[in-house]
Amino acid sequence: MSDETTPETTPGTQGAESPEEAAKNPLADLEVDLERLRTDLLYAQAETQNVRRRLEKEKADAIAYAATGFARDMLSVADNLSRALAAIPAEVAADERLKPLVTGIEMTARELDNVFQRNGITKIAAMGEALDPNRHQAIMEMESADAAPGTVVHEMQVGYMIKDRLLRPAMVGVAKAPAGHSVDLEA
């Protein structure tokens, strides 16, 4: 028996690796692991930043639109005040005994409009505008020789926005061409 061992039979070596190559592999493995960990760290930092941005946006939205439910409920108050003012005949409004009552209703409606404005609640323009399905809800079509088809010619209920979001669509009547008239679609 010989005391010499060949590299193939030396314990702890694999195949034809020399002792130097065997010593380099743990370092190479550590470098690969280090690079993988760096990549994982970068992905984790990016994900953390995305989560932080998303939470900041959600917080800002929650603050900006917190009053949405309350504002929707207040729209019926605004509608009722508008109907009350529209229902007052001119002779009643001119009556000196009822003038303070009419003035009080008008002032209440104005103050409600001011409160809406301060809180970013605005009326949606409808009359004479082209139908915008994102802001208007068409309830009916009305024949009209004066307005282009698709134009709002009647507003049944005022619509509102809260900042840049729809609070309630305007309920409108839209013009259509009178019967017997052809519409030039290429114009």
Side-chain angles (χ1 to χ4, degrees):
M1 271 192 144
S2 152
D3 287 324
E4 289 182 12
T5 58
T6 62
E8 288 83 26
T9 60
T10 304
T13 61
Q14 300 172 353
E17 273 185 343
S18 68
E20 294 91 31
E21 291 173 344
K24 288 181 184 176
N25 276 344
L27 184 57
D29 289 342
L30 288 175
E31 287 176 351
V32 169
D33 286 346
L34 180 61
E35 189 57 37
R36 182 180 49 80
L37 290 173
R38 281 184 184 151
T39 303
D40 290 348
L41 178 63
L42 288 174
Y43 282 126
Q45 287 174 335
E47 181 62 25
T48 301
Q49 189 175 14
N50 288 340
V51 168
R52 187 177 297 123
R53 281 188 193 137
R54 197 168 32 251
L55 288 174
E56 287 171 0
K57 183 182 182 325
E58 288 174 5
K59 179 182 173 185
D61 285 351
I63 291 168
Y65 302 107
T68 299
F70 180 72
R72 253 189 213 108
D73 292 343
M74 292 304 295
L75 295 182
S76 63
V77 175
D79 293 341
N80 287 335
L81 283 171
S82 295
R83 282 191 281 273
L85 287 170
I88 298 172
E91 60 272 4
V92 172
D95 185 346
E96 288 301 317
R97 293 177 299 156
L98 296 177
K99 201 168 207 140
L101 174 65
V102 173
T103 302
I105 295 172
E106 289 171 343
M107 289 174 59
T108 303
R110 264 194 308 276
E111 182 60 25
L112 184 59
D113 285 342
N114 291 336
V115 169
F116 280 174
Q117 289 293 326
R118 282 193 306 267
N119 288 282
I121 301 167
T122 56
K123 291 181 180 180
I124 295 173
M127 290 299 294
E129 300 284 322
L131 178 69
D132 179 354
N134 297 314
R135 301 178 326 136
H136 305 133
Q137 182 176 353
I139 301 299
M140 64 181 174
E141 286 186 317
M142 303 170 68
E143 291 183 2
S144 175
D146 300 332
T151 302
V152 175
V153 292
H154 182 67
E155 185 176 40
M156 289 155 272
Q157 186 178 50
V158 176
Y160 290 88
M161 301 284 291
I162 183 166
K163 296 183 181 16
D164 61 344
R165 290 186 182 173
L166 182 67
L167 189 58
R168 178 177 78 186
M171 292 188 185
V172 298
V174 181
K176 70 176 184 176
H181 288 81
S182 64
V183 176
D184 184 13
L185 296 176
E186 295 182 20

